[in-house]
Amino acid sequence: MTDHREDVERLAELVVSAGANVQPGQVVALGSEVGKEELTRALAGAAYRRGAKFVDVVYFDPFVKRERILHAPEDVLDYVPPWFGERAVKLGEMGAARIGLSGNSHPGVLNDLDPARLGKDQLPWIKEVGKLVSDRSTNWVAAPCPTVGWARLVYPELDDEAALDALWEDIVHVCRLDEPDPVAAWNERMDAIERAGASLFEHRFDALHFEGPGTDLTVGLLPSSQWIAARFSRRDGLPHMANLPSEETFTTPDPQRAEGVVRSTKPLVLFDGTIVRDLVVRFEGGRAVQIDASEGEGSIRGIAARDEGAARLGEVALVDREGRIGALDRVFYDTLLDENAASHIAFGHAFTFALADEADHPRANESGVHTDFMIGGDDVDVTGVTTGGERVPVLRGGAWQI
Amino acid sequence: MTDHREDVERLAELVVSAGANVQPGQVVALGSEVGKEELTRALAGAAYRRGAKFVDVVYFDPFVKRERILHAPEDVLDYVPPWFGERAVKLGEMGAARIGLSGNSHPGVLNDLDPARLGKDQLPWIKEVGKLVSDRSTNWVAAPCPTVGWARLVYPELDDEAALDALWEDIVHVCRLDEPDPVAAWNERMDAIERAGASLFEHRFDALHFEGPGTDLTVGLLPSSQWIAARFSRRDGLPHMANLPSEETFTTPDPQRAEGVVRSTKPLVLFDGTIVRDLVVRFEGGRAVQIDASEGEGSIRGIAARDEGAARLGEVALVDREGRIGALDRVFYDTLLDENAASHIAFGHAFTFALADEADHPRANESGVHTDFMIGGDDVDVTGVTTGGERVPVLRGGAWQI
């Protein structure tokens, strides 16, 4: 098998620098998984070389979770030991760095289990971590970790070695590790995305209009809908890149105003692995009133029926043609990559921090789901509509016009 | 490679039943290591089938520790995040079950590192766990986990597959998994060891006299030196077996009284992997005044010079010829197995809980080291000496006489 040690080292360096921006003296919480040891160790080394005080690696094991779902008493399947949340709270108090690794290294290990039992065990998700994000107390990043298991999903037609090689090639490219100076490349890319986002916010558009093959959709925005890139900052100003790679600028739309029809431009992979293809959604008064698909129709209809806000929009995000993920025209079965492939909208939960005015927070959509689907592409025009009815080109042929 | 799935399952069942004695509703803390996934998952399944509430697996990764020792700032090498100890305290408060897996799965990974830097990082050892043992708040067990890495140490002359097969065969045998009913076999064995221990305590021996080839050693005992087997109980009475396998009954001797010379009967493996062979120690007034060895002499002399109590005795333990580990005449490079191979004494730290009278606790030896070495065998007679000078045979030809 090709030796990916050099790629591993370079990805690790990028993740601790341009990503989490690990600082001297910091504790680094590293959420990993069995099967991701090589990158995990490289990340620990890179963080210590930057002066980290301690790298606390937690290896999640989905096969241990499988044993729990199979054999544990039903009434304790939702139990989480108190120290899980207490650790998260402490990480916030000390302003720690956090690194999470995406990419399903053991696909299918939970697939045959009873969905009702499986639904009760939310681990490795810990509810206290949500607060760390919203209170901006930690500098964090989610980054991909190539494994053979994941590579088999993406390249089922190749043997293990070739599949892993191909996935690494993709990851190197979308993480811009093939640039002479990847950190500089990301700074430049984030600058461009933030410029577009700032310009969008300056226009204070009342709505965005998407027009393309099978798509004629108007998404209403709130007065303080602010366009945000993945370059976050800790509340004390320390910059970090929350997702690496990231190609999007996103905001929280008005859940009461979406009108028209939209055709998805990429397949959508749901959390349980279901693929939804040729999705077409018609909105009226902000609500999805018709949902059709050639594959996975029942699953996506089920999600949109989950609760009151599940059929309304919680996010709208724009990705230009400089984005490297969409250009590969590949399904990665990983939200971190797939949602950055193209402009997208999401059913469900909205991020209130994308609303500049706290008075608007109650207007953001609420739901227990958040499901992104891709609606953008070079042949989908995006136009901003001001409150006065003026139409301003935003994306044409995938290029920023503002 | 031979499929060891059945052995893994049977070992897991034994460890959660005869070992930790996991109870319905218990949280189970499982201290594992990357490379021990198969037994870890089987243990989780077995614990959940017994009704465990949650199995909290912590996978330690010595390669992450290696990155720390290589690259972390010197002044933070002893840092331990507060949640490590807090978890231990909570485990005690909830009366959890604890399972630890021995067997070095990655020998050598730390060998080339700076000993001074390495000495500052005591993880995965956590000081709060010591209290869990002394306050008897948890039901716990240490058990072996065969891995290829460990097998290479024990069987360097075999290829990986044959070495792992051979190690599994040993583990199955010493854990009595080759008995029709292993739990019953352990109950019977523990009964026998405890009967011998109770008889030893009833005699209230003032000293034990070891006589054999090159050995003529008298070890003084304290008035309340109680002979303890691995069948512990939680402070509420819940029984568990702290070591599995275990063949010894041990007590805390008088550190002021050891006289004569002793020749070790097995090689001694130190924590850093150094082997000490042909060790001969002469004691005067409880203190080792001369230490010779054909190999590793400097290391063992260094240990005995570490502090005031390091050259005095903290433990004396007896193993009869029914013990299965010594009969294999093999060095396992694992304290859990090697110290149960034969009767042994230990330089350094003493367990005060082996002294029935708290008034004797201050008389127990104190030291930062605890180093066992084997002095027993079928050709070493052990005789109890009463305060009145009466001599009572204890072990003859490796068989209990009391």
Side-chain angles (χ1 to χ4, degrees), chain B residues 301-386:
Chain B
R301 284 181 177 175
I303 287 173
R306 195 72 60 80
D307 55 38
E308 183 53 35
R312 295 183 182 273
L313 295 182
E315 180 184 342
V316 54
L318 299 179
V319 176
D320 72 356
R321 68 179 171 199
E322 300 300 318
R324 291 190 170 190
I325 298 168
L328 295 176
D329 201 21
R330 190 169 300 292
V331 179
F332 284 100
Y333 301 87
D334 186 68
T335 304
L336 176 65
L337 298 187
D338 288 331
E339 77 159 356
N340 279 293
S343 296
H344 54 273
I345 52 180
F347 286 135
H349 176 74
F351 305 104
T352 53
F353 62 79
L355 297 175
D357 184 353
E358 275 199 26
D360 280 345
H361 287 193
R363 299 179 65 181
N365 196 33
E366 279 179 32
S367 173
V369 308
H370 182 96
T371 303
D372 298 277
F373 55 100
M374 312 300 142
I375 65 167
D378 289 358
D379 54 357
V380 179
D381 286 350
V382 183
T383 304
V385 185
T386 66

Side-chain angles (χ1 to χ4, degrees), chain A residues 62-63 65-67 69-70 106-118 272:
Chain A
F63 292 90
K65 176 166 178 152
R66 177 180 173 82
E67 294 297 325
I69 306 302
L70 283 173
H106 302 97
V109 61
L110 305 174
N111 280 6
D112 59 330
L113 302 178
D114 176 354
R117 287 175 63 86
L118 193 54
D272 63 0

Side-chain angles (χ1 to χ4, degrees), chain A residues 93-305:
Chain A
E93 287 171 1
M94 60 173 59
R98 295 187 303 113
I99 298 170
L101 296 180
S102 85
N104 189 343
S105 56
H106 302 97
V109 61
L110 305 174
N111 280 6
D112 59 330
L113 302 178
D114 176 354
R117 287 175 63 86
L118 193 54
K120 290 181 182 174
D121 178 359
Q122 298 294 306
L123 292 171
W125 180 81
I126 296 164
K127 68 177 192 302
E128 288 82 354
V129 171
K131 189 167 174 298
L132 299 188
V133 174
S134 60
D135 71 10
R136 299 168 55 218
S137 55
T138 59
N139 43 314
W140 60 279
V141 65
C145 177
T147 58
V148 170
W150 183 17
R152 283 181 195 141
L153 267 185
V154 183
Y155 290 99
E157 72 281 12
L158 300 181
D159 65 30
D160 281 359
E161 177 175 346
L164 185 59
D165 289 349
L167 180 58
W168 260 113
E169 195 177 319
D170 291 340
I171 296 300
V172 163
H173 179 63
V174 301
C175 289
R176 292 175 165 77
L177 288 168
D178 51 4
E179 292 291 326
D181 183 344
V183 174
W186 277 111
N187 282 334
E188 197 179 313
R189 177 64 178 151
M190 284 292 111
D191 287 347
I193 294 173
E194 286 185 349
R195 269 196 307 274
S199 180
L200 284 164
F201 188 49
E202 273 167 28
H203 279 89
R204 292 292 198 284
F205 290 126
D206 181 57
L208 287 186
H209 185 201
F210 294 84
E211 288 170 294
T215 289
D216 182 358
L217 175 71
T218 300
V219 176
L221 299 176
L222 292 168
S224 68
S225 291
Q226 190 166 10
W227 292 84
I228 294 190
R231 190 152 61 182
F232 285 19
S233 61
R234 209 170 59 173
R235 64 181 166 213
D236 62 358
L238 182 72
H240 63 101
M241 205 170 141
N243 286 350
L244 201 163
S246 178
E247 304 285 0
E248 63 173 330
T249 178
F250 68 94
T251 194
T252 287
D254 182 348
Q256 306 302 325
R257 294 189 299 133
E259 300 291 337
V261 66
V262 64
R263 177 185 295 273
S264 69
T265 51
K266 305 258 181 195
L268 155 64
V269 183
L270 302 178
F271 277 103
D272 63 0
T274 306
I275 303 187
V276 183
R277 294 186 198 274
D278 304 315
L279 175 65
V280 176
V281 183
R282 193 161 58 81
F283 287 90
E284 283 180 18
R287 209 168 170 287
V289 293
Q290 191 176 344
I291 299 176
D292 300 303
S294 68
E295 193 181 323
E297 185 177 85
S299 295
I300 186 68
R301 284 182 176 173
I303 286 172

Side-chain angles (χ1 to χ4, degrees), chain B residues 178-201:
Chain B
D178 50 4
E179 292 290 326
D181 183 344
V183 174
W186 277 111
N187 282 333
E188 198 179 311
R189 177 65 177 150
M190 284 292 110
D191 287 347
I193 293 174
E194 286 185 350
R195 270 195 308 273
S199 179
L200 284 163
F201 188 49

Side-chain angles (χ1 to χ4, degrees), chain A residues 1 10 55 60 71 95 124 144 183 211 287 326 336 351 353 359:
Chain A
M1 194 165 286
R10 292 169 65 225
V55 181
F60 185 75
H71 302 299
V183 174
E211 288 170 294
R287 209 168 170 287
L336 177 65
F351 304 105
F353 61 78

